[in-house]
Amino acid sequence: MSADVVIVGMGYVGLPLAQEAALQGLSVVGFDINPSVVEGLNAGHSHIDDLSDDDIQAMLSAGFRASADDSVLAEASTAIVCVPTPLARDGAPDLGAVTGAVSTIARHLRSGMLVVLESTTWPGTTEEIVRPVLEEGGMIVGTDVFLAFSPERIDPGNATYGVRNTPKVVGGVTPACTERATAFYQRFIDTVVPAKGSREAETAKLLENTYRHINIALVNEMARFCHELGIDLWNVIDLAATKPFGFQAFYPGPGVGGHCIPIDPNYLSYTVRTRLGYPFRFVELAQEVNSSMPAYVARRAQDILNEDAKALRGSHILLLGVTYKRNIADQRESPAVPLAEYLREWGAEVSYHDPNVPTWNLPDGPLERVANLDHAVKSADLVILVQNHDAYDVEALAGRAQSFFDTRGVTTSSGVNRL
């Protein structure tokens, strides 16, 4: 049995990509080394926010299948790598999953095959790390096989932009590789944008998220001094956003989360430091500001309790929303985790509620969601809105709380503390 594409890694990137390709008529196999993921998918069960069980059933009806057997790669005319690239301790991207996936593909490489890396990484990875592995068997990239990088642009929870209508950047190691990869993605994606090369495509993804990282850090730092100066930053941003050109609104918060914003800019910083010998100062300063926000929120919580003649130690603090983004269950790099750790370290009793997270896994063990939200809000010494899920009637919750701290700027009551 042949396949148009085998997608390696059935997570937040690979599975939506597989869905779109399958629904557009391509024969798709999802390869994953986790047997439980494979079994779940083949049984019609989704394990990510953006796809429901019905979505998986529709994929299966369109011919999709999942496998933990790497021999399926021998069937594919195209293989796409969508595996995690977390940060290692030295700040470099951990390419263990990428090199493992590429080595697996190389064992099944055949003439004419297209290999695409979608996992975010530092500029040069596709050409310097992936290409040599593929060429070990004697085939030449650009002649015998084709290799490209295409940055994933998955935005979990975004109901407007998905895989098909988000423009797809594609950069090949050679012009022939770019042409081949572009033709492949054009089969199921509306707009494909060829890059000059794989390094440009790799760097484009890092620029996108570095831009956001730095601008979020800007408003996070402004939130601190605007609070001290008695200025409503949320109103300031609304006012600035009335300008129809030259301004894009970014908003402060308790920190940044997800795989992209807190991690991707560090790949670029790492590349500059290791290859050029000097720092990427904007990124490093932005990282310092954004990573300090959970501690800042914890200190503000302490100040709010002091104003109520209460000590942080021994106070009951309820956190509302512990995911990194609203209306999803994804907790990767959520700032709620370090916030909870600071509060507990300083003596507070911390509980939480999140409609999407029945059990919250903290570093020192799991925490069960409060059973009765209304009772928990009324009984807590301080309620902190960490993530503004649509399921929350924030104004009503703030009205019932003894004290309420809004880190998302969504409340309008003058009696509420806002970041």
Side-chain angles (χ1 to χ4, degrees):
M1 183 182 294
S2 63
D4 289 319
V5 59
V6 172
I7 298 175
V8 181
M10 289 285 95
Y12 283 88
V13 175
L15 192 52
L17 187 70
Q19 178 198 30
E20 193 58 52
L23 295 183
Q24 295 304 313
L26 279 70
S27 57
V28 182
V29 178
F31 172 74
D32 201 287
I33 60 173
N34 187 333
S36 64
V37 168
V38 170
E39 291 170 9
L41 290 173
N42 285 330
H45 302 305
S46 177
H47 57 282
I48 69 171
D49 291 307
D50 280 358
L51 273 69
S52 65
D53 287 355
D54 288 344
D55 291 327
I56 304 302
Q57 291 286 358
M59 291 171 63
L60 294 171
S61 298
F64 169 80
R65 60 190 172 94
S67 177
D69 181 356
D70 61 37
S71 66
V72 297
L73 287 158
E75 309 170 9
S77 56
T78 297
I80 302 179
V81 178
C82 301
V83 297
T85 49
L87 280 180
R89 290 185 177 180
D90 63 354
D94 180 351
L95 296 182
V98 169
T99 55
V102 173
S103 295
T104 301
I105 293 169
R107 292 199 298 270
H108 302 282
L109 200 64
R110 56 192 178 85
S111 181
M113 194 172 182
L114 167 66
V115 179
V116 182
L117 176 63
E118 289 209 6
S119 304
T120 307
T121 182
W122 48 267
T125 299
T126 306
E127 187 172 357
E128 298 168 18
I129 303 297
V130 178
R131 181 176 186 170
V133 176
L134 297 182
E135 292 185 333
E136 282 177 355
M139 292 193 188
I140 304 301
V141 167
T143 303
D144 303 310
V145 293
F146 303 90
L147 173 63
F149 181 83
S150 181
E152 59 89 2
R153 284 173 161 176
I154 299 295
D155 186 17
N158 191 324
T160 303
Y161 290 102
V163 171
R164 183 174 182 179
N165 66 345
T166 300
K168 191 78 170 134
V169 170
V170 174
V173 169
T174 68
C177 293
T178 301
E179 184 177 346
R180 173 69 183 275
T182 297
F184 167 75
Y185 281 111
Q186 284 175 333
R187 295 178 65 184
F188 63 100
I189 291 177
D190 293 343
T191 304
V192 180
V193 185
K196 183 177 180 180
S198 59
R199 292 173 184 263
E200 285 75 16
E202 289 163 334
T203 308
K205 174 61 185 294
L206 300 183
L207 175 59
E208 292 170 16
N209 287 327
T210 298
Y211 169 79
R212 294 173 63 196
H213 187 51
I214 289 172
N215 280 282
I216 292 169
L218 169 65
V219 292
N220 275 337
E221 188 159 24
M222 288 188 70
R224 300 186 186 200
F225 68 70
C226 281
H227 171 68
E228 296 293 330
L229 295 173
I231 297 170
D232 185 338
L233 176 61
W234 304 95
N235 182 236
V236 169
I237 296 171
D238 288 343
L239 296 171
T242 63
K243 185 178 181 181
F245 53 88
F247 180 81
Q248 181 180 357
F250 287 83
Y251 299 93
V256 294
H259 178 270
C260 294
I261 303 301
I263 295 178
D264 291 3
N266 291 286
Y267 299 164
L268 202 50
S269 178
Y270 171 82
T271 301
V272 173
R273 272 194 175 276
T274 56
R275 299 208 170 191
L276 303 179
Y278 54 81
F280 189 174
R281 290 180 292 174
F282 266 121
V283 165
E284 295 181 7
L285 181 58
Q287 183 68 22
E288 178 184 332
V289 171
N290 288 334
S291 64
S292 70
M293 287 306 291
Y296 172 73
V297 171
R299 288 193 297 270
R300 283 284 305 276
Q302 185 176 41
D303 293 341
I304 292 167
L305 287 167
N306 285 342
E307 292 173 3
D308 294 337
K310 296 178 181 179
L312 178 65
R313 182 170 297 278
S315 288
H316 178 199
I317 297 179
L318 173 65
L319 304 183
L320 297 181
V322 297
T323 59
Y324 89 87
K325 188 177 181 182
R326 66 187 302 189
N327 302 329
I328 65 172
D330 194 346
Q331 302 164 52
R332 290 177 296 173
E333 306 296 327
S334 171
V337 173
L339 172 58
E341 289 183 301
Y342 281 119
L343 294 171
R344 295 169 99 180
E345 180 184 339
W346 299 346
E349 297 177 10
V350 177
S351 61
Y352 90 97
H353 182 275
D354 191 302
N356 306 297
V357 183
T359 302
W360 189 23
N361 294 312
L362 292 170
D364 60 352
L367 192 64
E368 294 296 320
R369 180 175 61 198
V370 296
N372 187 310
L373 176 58
D374 189 60
H375 178 267
V377 167
K378 291 178 180 177
S379 61
D381 294 295
L382 175 63
V383 177
I384 304 178
L385 180 69
V386 185
Q387 191 54 261
N388 178 33
H389 295 302
D390 286 345
Y392 291 140
D393 184 344
V394 178
E395 295 289 358
L397 293 171
R400 289 194 289 269
Q402 297 180 42
S403 191
F404 196 91
F405 182 17
D406 173 10
T407 71
R408 296 293 177 176
V410 295
T411 50
T412 58
S413 172
S414 59
V416 172
N417 298 280
R418 297 208 294 177
L419 188 66

